[in-house]
Amino acid sequence: MSDVLDASPYDALLLLSFGGPEGPDDVVPFLENVTRGRGIPTERLKEVGQHYFLFGGVSPINDQNRALLDALRKDFAEHGLDLPVYWGNRNWAPYLTDTLREMVADGRRRILVLATSAYASYSGCRQYRENLADSLAALEAEGLELPKIDKLRHYFNHEGFVEPMVDGVLQSLADLPEDVRAGAHLAFSTHSIPTASADTSGPVETHGEGGAYVEQHLEVAQLIADAVRERTGIDHPWQLVYQSRSGAPHIPWLEPDICDHLEERQAAGAPAVVIAPIGFVSDHMEVLYDLDTEARAKAEELGLPMRRSATVGDDPRFAAAVRDLVLERAAVQRGENVTPCALGTLGASHHLCPVGCCPARAPRPAAAGADSPYA
């Protein structure tokens, strides 16, 4: 679809992300935004914020989104795609509502949304859609004309998302000492979520043990492991593992935890481990702390050589994938037949989140889906 540069009916793309603090004074207010409504005391938030204070109170996510914005704008301009790109966050400036207000003032009426989460889950998809609905409700209360908003499909198995991660794993393997390289274990890491949330992730027909969340991550892990085997001739053992668990300890979350997994691999005789953070678009705080700090310290304690491969970030291939997804969705909206790019066996994800997809515990309005009140 690279030769089709018609984005109509859309007139703008919105990069929608989580947001993060950009200085020590931002940390607690940011965490208050993230945990709003849960009644968590300020002193507890200060304890949680120690992860950020270790890095000067700055999350890298905002700078990484700026880099991705630049990459998208550069790719669009080089390929003649005339589509402005905006940026809004759920939990920190630039706030989503402010950005949508700016877009309305600029005359944008048909908006596509790129969320910085590649997989299906409540926190990775529907919660973004709920935030969109909240912002639209705020604009409606102000008497503004509401834009029509659609969300780009999940891109976990798009070539432009997978290939940069393949290269990252290959580079990490090459960086290991030669005597442990061939036997290195691959640990594909993603954010742990409650098992109840995982089990109901994706459309209703995918609900079950792990739901679409686990299924999609396993697909990506297999794609990367297969590509590594094809390019090196070595079939590295691998496993999907989890990180960044939070919440009450009595609630089951997806396991194994990455640090527990490192202990298991060392006890089983693995000579080295490459950790590939496939669940994350960029090297934000959970990658820097949970992998580069905690997991690295655990590997050093165990005497286990470990490398952490790169996330996709602002790789030009990912920017090209976003362009492809924009053109694909625009063609679908125009009623044209398209062949979507999707590696592996699961095929391309749905364009419109169906009713019952990734449900919340307490139902809330969500935009850009079949159940949207803002159709």
Side-chain angles (χ1 to χ4, degrees):
M1 297 187 62
S2 59
D3 60 334
V4 181
L5 299 177
D6 183 5
S8 64
Y10 299 106
D11 55 20
L13 176 68
L14 168 63
L15 175 65
L16 177 55
S17 193
F18 192 82
E22 300 199 78
D25 293 341
D26 296 344
V27 173
V28 171
F30 163 73
L31 292 174
E32 287 174 341
N33 288 341
V34 174
T35 61
R36 191 176 307 280
R38 302 183 201 172
I40 299 177
T42 299
E43 290 306 311
R44 174 57 182 154
L45 294 179
K46 289 180 180 178
E47 293 176 18
V48 174
Q50 291 305 313
H51 295 182
Y52 292 94
F53 293 128
L54 287 174
F55 296 88
V58 178
S59 168
I61 192 169
N62 279 354
D63 277 344
Q64 290 165 0
N65 280 324
R66 293 183 183 103
L68 179 56
L69 276 173
D70 289 342
L72 292 172
R73 289 166 177 161
K74 180 175 184 289
D75 179 273
F76 288 8
E78 288 177 349
H79 291 85
L81 178 58
D82 184 15
L83 191 71
V85 187
Y86 295 75
W87 169 36
N89 288 326
R90 291 168 48 193
N91 299 297
W92 201 248
Y95 287 103
L96 171 59
T97 302
D98 295 336
T99 299
L100 283 178
R101 189 182 294 111
E102 175 190 358
M103 296 176 81
V104 169
D106 289 346
R108 311 304 175 192
R109 295 296 179 264
R110 292 298 301 270
I111 298 170
L112 265 177
V113 173
L114 168 68
T116 53
S117 175
Y119 303 86
S121 70
Y122 170 74
S123 57
C125 183
R126 186 175 178 89
Q127 194 167 16
Y128 282 85
R129 294 176 49 226
E130 290 176 350
N131 294 145
L132 283 166
D134 291 342
S135 293
L136 289 172
L139 298 188
E140 188 175 37
E142 296 171 13
L144 298 177
E145 182 179 352
L146 298 187
K148 174 73 168 62
I149 294 180
D150 292 320
K151 180 177 173 291
L152 289 173
R153 66 175 172 88
H154 301 302
Y155 46 84
F156 64 94
N157 56 358
H158 195 290
E159 183 178 19
F161 184 68
V162 174
E163 279 298 317
M165 294 190 290
V166 171
D167 285 351
V169 171
L170 290 171
Q171 291 167 12
S172 291
L173 285 168
D175 191 48
L176 284 169
E178 188 173 359
D179 61 332
V180 299
R181 189 180 304 152
H185 176 86
L186 308 181
F188 295 106
S189 186
T190 189
H191 205 302
S192 183
I193 61 175
T195 56
S197 179
D199 293 346
T200 57
S201 58
V204 173
E205 60 268 21
T206 67
H207 292 181
E209 187 173 358
Y213 186 76
V214 172
E215 180 182 50
Q216 291 171 359
H217 280 88
L218 288 173
E219 176 91 331
V220 172
Q222 186 69 64
L223 286 167
I224 296 172
D226 288 348
V228 169
R229 183 185 66 250
E230 291 168 4
R231 298 177 200 185
T232 65
I234 299 172
D235 192 8
H236 290 272
W238 63 269
Q239 186 169 340
L240 179 62
V241 300
Y242 302 93
Q243 62 177 88
S244 312
R245 188 201 194 285
S246 61
H250 68 279
I251 297 175
W253 283 53
L254 293 173
E255 297 177 337
D257 175 77
I258 178 60
C259 289
D260 294 339
H261 182 68
L262 292 176
E263 291 184 346
E264 293 167 359
R265 289 302 89 208
Q266 191 271 342
V273 172
V274 168
I275 302 176
I278 64 172
F280 307 93
V281 171
S282 62
D283 289 5
H284 56 59
M285 183 57 68
E286 287 169 322
V287 175
L288 294 187
Y289 184 80
D290 296 330
L291 298 184
D292 292 353
T293 305
E294 283 196 327
R296 188 173 302 280
K298 174 58 70 173
E300 290 174 356
E301 173 192 322
L302 297 169
L304 182 65
M306 185 272 277
R307 298 292 185 272
R308 195 270 289 176
S309 68
T311 52
V312 172
D314 61 343
D315 190 289
R317 290 168 292 184
F318 182 48
V322 174
R323 169 169 42 89
D324 181 70
L325 291 165
V326 166
L327 296 172
E328 174 193 308
R329 182 59 181 273
V332 168
Q333 286 300 115
R334 295 193 301 266
E336 300 171 11
N337 292 324
V338 296
T339 302
C341 176
L343 304 178
T345 62
L346 295 181
S349 184
H350 50 263
H351 288 292
L352 188 69
C353 291
V355 175
C357 193
C358 305
R361 285 181 295 177
R364 291 180 54 202
D371 55 355
S372 171
Y374 299 101

